[in-house]
Amino acid sequence: MIAVVGSLNLDLVTPVPHHPVPGETVLGGDIASHPGGKGANQAVAAARLGGRAAFVGRVGDDEAADVMIDAAREQGVDTTHILRTPGTPTGRALIAVNPEGENSIIVSPGANSRLTAEDCAAAGDLLRDAQVTVLQQEVPDEANHEAARRSGGIVLHNPAPAVEGAELPPRIDLLVPNRTELAALTGTSVPGTIDEVTAAARKLTGASGGAGERAGAVVVTLGGDGVLLLEGGAALHVPAFRVRPVDTTAAGDSFCGALAVALAEGRALPDAARWACAAAAVSTTRAGAQPSLAHRAEVEELLSREG
Ligand code: RIB
């Protein structure tokens, strides 16, 4: 079982010729609405790949609440611990996607910001029994901290988005930042080369003798450059699969959900990361967050094609 604690957002997505700068208005294409939210995306990613996924989170009391719960349930996610929040809107995300498939996102957290430590305590049995508990940063720190404390399995923390002042959970077995989030966590500039990424990631495992141990292992997602693993002091670069991306929204969520499935199946981290890279690559070839997430057969097909 994989427990995901996190956000559910209804995504409003517009294609744009380029991302606006402050003060600029850009005319976009037709708007589309999809289920999203980093947490919900990760749970759906896990379920589509054959994992048993259960979700802990909050929706509001509007129409979007039913859309979000139904979407997760239809994909096989256990929605027992999704709570409704009276007088509160369900989370929304405003997403612009440029012709290169790059996005910019504004999240209005709504009910996600009302998730409490008590809500996570109420899901204590689930968290205790889960082989992997997956966390992100679109819900309050207190909720994540309680979930990490109650988790009986691997705690996978995806520190996304990079929230100023966010405090990491008290226990992290696997930290999965992207380059920007890694920079925010280490107080460095955004690392470019693999060597720079490795040096920054070492600061989070204590291997540099610097900031001290924050996580058992670190996996840095690098988009088209693949991922960098740092485990037990050893670094390994896993290259990305070659696909033609149309929309990179939820690629990181796809990676985290797939990584959780692979780890729950008992795979070693390097193998699990390569499998998750394949799932993330598939997700970039389709538009939207949850509509883009890979099915298991597609991942296996890409892996067999690329060797
Ligand atoms: O990671 C992509 C997700 O970020 C979107 O689905 C959006 O809802 C935001 O949470």
Side-chain angles (χ1 to χ4, degrees):
M1 172 66 83
I2 294 154
V4 182
V5 178
S7 58
L8 309 100
N9 297 326
L10 189 62
D11 291 349
L12 304 173
V13 187
T14 311
V16 289
H18 63 268
H19 292 291
V21 297
E24 181 185 8
T25 299
V26 172
L27 291 183
D30 290 349
I31 202 155
S33 172
H34 307 292
K38 293 187 192 304
N41 296 343
Q42 293 174 2
V44 169
R48 279 213 187 142
L49 292 166
R52 269 204 316 138
F55 197 79
V56 181
R58 277 193 175 269
V59 291
D61 63 356
D62 49 10
E63 279 178 22
D66 294 320
V67 173
M68 295 308 305
I69 292 174
D70 291 350
R73 189 182 292 136
E74 279 163 19
Q75 295 299 322
V77 176
D78 179 344
T79 58
T80 310
H81 293 283
I82 299 181
L83 304 169
R84 291 178 191 264
T85 318
T88 308
T90 296
R92 302 282 202 290
L94 311 176
I95 303 181
V97 182
N98 73 10
E100 286 72 48
E102 299 160 333
N103 62 52
S104 59
I105 304 180
I106 299 170
V107 171
S108 170
N112 297 307
S113 65
R114 273 60 160 195
L115 189 71
T116 64
E118 290 72 31
D119 296 337
C120 294
D125 289 354
L126 166 72
L127 295 165
R128 183 197 60 217
D129 295 344
Q131 292 154 291
V132 185
T133 295
V134 184
L135 312 171
Q136 336 73 38
Q137 296 190 162
E138 286 183 337
V139 296
D141 287 352
E142 308 80 69
N144 277 339
H145 292 198
E146 184 68 17
R149 274 193 288 271
R150 289 183 176 265
S151 175
I154 297 167
V155 176
L156 187 168
H157 183 59
N158 173 217
V163 179
E164 211 179 320
E167 281 185 24
L168 290 177
R171 173 163 82 85
I172 302 173
D173 298 299
L174 197 50
L175 186 66
V176 188
N178 65 17
R179 275 191 174 96
T180 313
E181 293 146 8
L182 178 62
L185 288 171
T186 55
T188 56
S189 52
V190 177
T193 66
I194 300 297
D195 284 348
E196 288 167 355
V197 170
T198 306
R202 282 193 195 286
K203 295 187 177 182
L204 297 171
T205 62
S208 67
E213 188 163 337
R214 315 277 296 273
V218 180
V219 180
V220 187
T221 56
L222 304 168
D225 293 330
V227 297
L228 184 280
L229 315 186
L230 198 60
E231 189 181 26
L236 175 70
H237 177 226
V238 179
F241 288 85
R242 279 162 298 151
V243 292
R244 192 182 294 271
V246 299
D247 181 357
T248 58
T249 306
D253 303 333
S254 175
F255 180 86
C256 290
L259 191 64
V261 171
L263 293 172
E265 290 176 356
R267 296 184 195 223
L269 187 56
D271 184 31
R274 183 167 155 70
W275 199 73
C277 278
V282 170
S283 78
T284 67
T285 64
R286 292 190 283 257
Q290 288 178 29
S292 75
L293 298 170
H295 292 268
R296 193 168 184 115
E298 296 175 301
V299 173
E300 301 300 349
E301 205 269 327
L302 180 58
L303 281 162
S304 65
R305 188 154 33 98
E306 294 275 326

